[in-house]
Amino acid sequence: MIKTSICDILGIEYPIFQGGMAWVSDASLASAVSNAGGLGIIAAGNAPTDYVRNEIKKAKELTNKPFGVNIMLMSPFAVEIAALVIEEKVSAVTTGAGNPSKFMKAWKEAGVKVIPVVPSVAIARLMERNGADAIVAEGGEAGGHIGDLTTMTLVPQVCDAVSIPVIAAGGIADGRGIAAAFMLGASGVQVGTRFLVATECTIHQNYKDKIVNAKDTATIATGKRLGHPIRSLKNPFSREFSKKEYDSNVTNTELVKFGEGALRAAVVDGDKKGGCFMAGQSAGIVKCEQSAKEIITEMFAQAEDLLKGSKVING
Ligand code: TUI
C-alpha cells in the first residue's frame, strides 16, 4: 500500500485527490472518492455560495471521511466561499486560476489545510512562504484552465523548489501516471479526467461517452488570447472558439460572450455542438466507466506493481 506524508496530513488512505472540476465535482463524486480513500473535492467554479454550501452539507451526509472544496479564484463568489469553508469546517481547500495569498492566514487559523494549485515554480515558492500545507503542481496536459509547462517538467522543478509535499496533476489517468509522478518527486497525484467517467459522476452521458471514445489528439487549448487558456475536447464549439480567437475582427468581449454557458451546456445538456467539454490529454487513456473505488484501487494496484523494487517512494 502506497502511503505518503499527504495521507497523514489529510487523514486519507490513498495519496490521490479528485480534481475540483467546475459544474462536475459535486457532493456525489466528491463523497464517492472520499469514501474510497482518496480526497474528494467539491468544485465551487463560478457557482453561487448557496450552491456550494448545499453541496458541502450533502457531502457531510454521504461521507464521514475528509473532503475538500476547490475555489476558482476568478469567481465573483470567491471571497464568500473563502469564508464558507471556514464556517463549514471543511478539511481542505484547493484553489485554482489565481493567487489565494489574501485568504491563507484565515484558513490556516481555522485549521483548514491549504493546498493551492500552481502552474509554476515562482507561485509554488510564494505559496510555501505564505504557509501552504502542500502544493498541487498542474501541467498543461490537464483539462480546464491551464498553465504553460508540462507535468514532466513542472513537477520535478517544483519538488526541488519547495519542502512541502507536491501533488502532481495533469495527464495522470492510470497506475503508470502515478508511478511516474512518484519518480518525479511527487507525494501524491490529482486526477480529473478519469473521474469524469466515474459512475458517481453526475454529468450528462454524452460527456462520458466522449471521454471514453477520445483519442490521443482529442483535445485543444483555446483562450490564450484572453490570458486564461482552457483545454477541452475538439468539437464545433472549441473549433469555432479557436477560429474567432485568431480573427482580429472579433473583440475579447465578443469572445468571452461566445464562451458563456458552454461548460454548463456540456455538463448538464450534453450539447455535442455548443458545449465546452473540458478534458485533459489523458482522455485517450480512459477506457470505461467504473466506480470511484474501482478507479482508485485499480490505479494504485498498477502503480504498486510498477514501483515494486523501486526505492523512490517519497514520504
Ligand atoms: O483552475 C484550474 N482549472 C480550471 S478552473 C476552471 S473554471 C474557469 N472558467 C472560466 C475561466 C477560467 C476558469 C476550469 N479549470 N486549474 C488550476 C490552475 N491554476 N491552473 C493554472 C492556475 C493558476 C494560474 C495562475 C494558478 C495561479 C495563478 O496565479 C497567477 C497570479 O494571479 O499570480
Side-chain angles (χ1 to χ4, degrees), residues 98-102 104 114 116 118 120-135 158 161-162 164:
N99 177 351
S101 293
K102 66 176 178 185
M104 285 172 72
V114 183
V118 305
S120 71
V121 165
I123 302 178
R125 279 210 175 100
L126 177 66
M127 294 302 107
E128 181 179 45
R129 264 205 312 280
N130 288 343
D133 295 279
I135 285 284
V158 171
V162 300
I164 51 180

Side-chain angles (χ1 to χ4, degrees), residues 8-80:
D8 300 329
I9 290 170
L10 293 169
I12 57 177
E13 232 176 299
Y14 294 95
I16 183 169
F17 295 4
Q18 158 252 315
M21 299 171 278
W23 281 100
V24 172
S25 303
D26 59 5
S28 169
L29 179 60
S31 63
V33 170
S34 288
N35 283 331
L39 185 74
I41 295 178
I42 293 167
N46 271 316
T49 311
D50 279 347
Y51 165 86
V52 183
R53 182 181 287 114
N54 198 32
E55 292 306 304
I56 293 171
K57 290 197 187 301
K58 278 198 247 172
K60 285 178 180 170
E61 306 252 297
L62 294 167
T63 185
N64 294 321
K65 303 271 179 73
F67 64 87
V69 169
N70 174 265
I71 305 182
M72 207 279 278
L73 294 165
M74 285 163 62
S75 162
F77 304 101
V79 172
E80 270 178 44

Side-chain angles (χ1 to χ4, degrees), residues 40 52 57 59 88-90 110 139 160 162 170 178 187 198 205-206 209 241 245 250 263 265 275 277 284 291 296:
V52 183
K57 290 197 187 301
E88 290 292 334
K89 300 186 170 45
V90 166
D160 285 347
V162 300
I178 295 178
S187 303
Q205 191 61 39
N206 288 353
D209 293 346
F241 194 101
E245 185 173 10
V250 177
L263 178 58
F277 293 83
S291 69
I296 291 174

Side-chain angles (χ1 to χ4, degrees), residues 22 46 72 74 95-99 117-119 123 138 143-147 228 230 278:
N46 271 316
M72 207 279 278
M74 285 163 62
T95 59
N99 177 351
V117 182
V118 305
I123 302 178
E138 185 184 84
H145 179 73
I146 48 170
H228 46 85
I230 299 274
M278 289 187 188

